[in-house]
Amino acid sequence: MDTEQCTEITNNSTPLRQGDILYFYENQDDEKYGIVVTGDCDIARKKCRRIISYCTITTAKFYLATEVMYDEFLSKEINKLEESVLKNVYRKLNAEKSETFLSTLLSLELDYLINLLKDKDLITKIEFLKSIKGKSVYSMADCINIYKMNTNKNTVTDEEIKKIKGKFLSKLGSLPGDKYYISEIPNQNDNYGYIVHLRFINTISQDDIANQNGLYRIGHLDAPYLYKLTQKLGAVFSDIGEPEEFEKNRTEINNILIKEL
């Protein structure tokens, strides 16, 4: 069965279409690719006034190292570590609780912390929090290190690592509604796939595309994959949320229903 989603664009003079993939060769990893979402008829009839909309594409590896690792694991572990650090520092210094205490603590220089706390393990955790909170791209080492700190372990087992990775695999296997997966892009050497971020819409002049100003058209997302992407894009921006109180009430009623079974 053919699983290729894209065809290569080898001639830049071919008409621009919805689904064309752009390669911004001078950009950083989070803005290196895009996919045209302006409709074919709008392009042909110049309804868009030669301003083309496109959604950002990143590698799946970059998506994993940013949103997935943070949302599925690190955010909760960071909160845990912060609570633990604050509890121990409050106790050690006999200090009063304050909403700004953590930010003040994380702003202190290492030498000052050593003299203030005289606790190597606690200082290591504070220094780690400084490091992790300054990042936007994470690694498996970050996940393992914070897990060890929160469980007070020197090592982690293969089973524990497998459990952490399982959270990431589950997220990649069931993408949220505002993401779309592309398995490969022509002539690009990433073997792990790509993620289209449907909420991240940018614009570019059609002239810049035609003149290849900082970018190339390198591929086209074919049917039926393009149809699925545009369907998801429409759903993202047409979705209407319900009031929070209504959802809360519905949850309470459902809980009562289940209890009475």
Side-chain angles (χ1 to χ4, degrees):
M1 180 180 178
D2 186 5
T3 58
E4 290 187 2
Q5 294 172 281
C6 302
T7 53
E8 182 181 0
I9 292 178
T10 57
N11 185 351
N12 192 56
S13 65
T14 58
L16 181 69
R17 294 183 293 163
Q18 183 183 69
D20 282 359
I21 295 173
L22 312 175
Y23 172 52
F24 300 89
Y25 52 84
E26 295 179 342
N27 286 5
Q28 299 297 317
D29 288 345
D30 59 340
E31 296 182 335
K32 198 168 272 301
Y33 303 96
I35 184 166
V36 173
V37 292
T38 300
D40 289 342
C41 62
D42 287 348
I43 295 173
R45 298 180 183 180
K46 301 180 181 178
K47 290 183 179 180
C48 58
R49 302 192 179 189
R50 298 187 68 77
I51 300 299
I52 302 301
S53 298
Y54 68 92
C55 288
T56 296
I57 301 174
T58 64
T59 63
K61 195 172 182 180
F62 183 84
Y63 172 60
L64 170 63
T66 51
E67 293 183 47
V68 175
M69 283 190 172
Y70 185 80
D71 293 346
E72 296 303 305
F73 186 74
L74 284 171
S75 61
K76 294 176 184 175
E77 294 296 317
I78 289 171
N79 287 338
K80 263 192 228 178
L81 189 59
E82 287 176 345
E83 290 173 5
S84 171
V85 164
L86 282 174
K87 181 179 178 181
N88 282 286
V89 173
Y90 282 140
R91 177 181 53 78
K92 186 172 281 291
L93 300 180
N94 197 24
E96 292 186 6
K97 293 184 179 181
S98 165
E99 290 184 2
T100 61
F101 194 91
L102 179 63
S103 59
T104 301
L105 185 66
L106 297 181
S107 69
L108 298 177
E109 296 292 335
L110 177 58
D111 289 342
Y112 187 86
L113 286 171
I114 292 171
N115 291 326
L116 179 69
L117 300 174
K118 298 178 175 62
D119 185 325
K120 184 178 179 181
D121 181 62
L122 187 54
I123 292 169
T124 299
K125 290 178 179 179
I126 293 170
E127 288 299 303
F128 180 82
L129 280 174
K130 287 182 187 179
S131 170
I132 199 77
K133 289 173 78 69
K135 288 184 175 184
S136 58
V137 180
Y138 309 97
S139 67
M140 194 62 200
D142 292 325
C143 298
I144 292 172
N145 285 335
I146 199 168
Y147 178 80
K148 287 194 294 186
M149 289 180 183
N150 280 332
T151 55
N152 294 311
K153 293 181 176 181
N154 293 322
T155 60
V156 293
T157 65
D158 290 343
E159 191 61 33
E160 287 171 317
I161 292 174
K162 184 179 178 181
K163 188 175 180 180
I164 294 171
K165 289 183 176 181
K167 295 177 184 289
F168 307 150
L169 183 60
S170 175
K171 185 74 170 182
L172 289 173
S174 181
L175 291 174
D178 60 353
K179 311 292 181 191
Y180 184 75
Y181 177 79
I182 297 177
S183 59
E184 60 181 318
I185 293 175
N187 295 319
Q188 299 303 295
N189 58 5
D190 193 286
N191 298 320
Y192 303 106
Y194 301 81
I195 302 295
V196 183
H197 301 266
L198 299 173
R199 291 189 188 277
F200 298 163
I201 298 181
N202 306 280
T203 58
I204 187 171
S205 164
Q206 192 170 342
D207 295 328
D208 284 339
I209 297 174
N211 296 327
Q212 298 184 328
N213 292 334
L215 75 153
Y216 300 121
R217 273 193 302 154
I218 58 174
H220 180 80
L221 184 65
D222 296 323
Y225 307 106
L226 176 58
Y227 304 152
K228 180 63 176 179
L229 182 145
T230 54
Q231 180 189 51
K232 293 191 75 172
L233 180 64
V236 166
F237 291 99
S238 64
D239 187 38
I240 299 174
E242 294 168 327
E244 186 177 338
E245 285 301 313
F246 171 80
E247 294 185 353
K248 182 179 178 182
N249 183 61
R250 180 179 60 191
T251 300
E252 290 174 355
I253 292 172
N254 288 342
N255 287 334
I256 294 170
L257 175 63
I258 298 301
K259 284 180 181 178
E260 291 182 355
L261 288 177

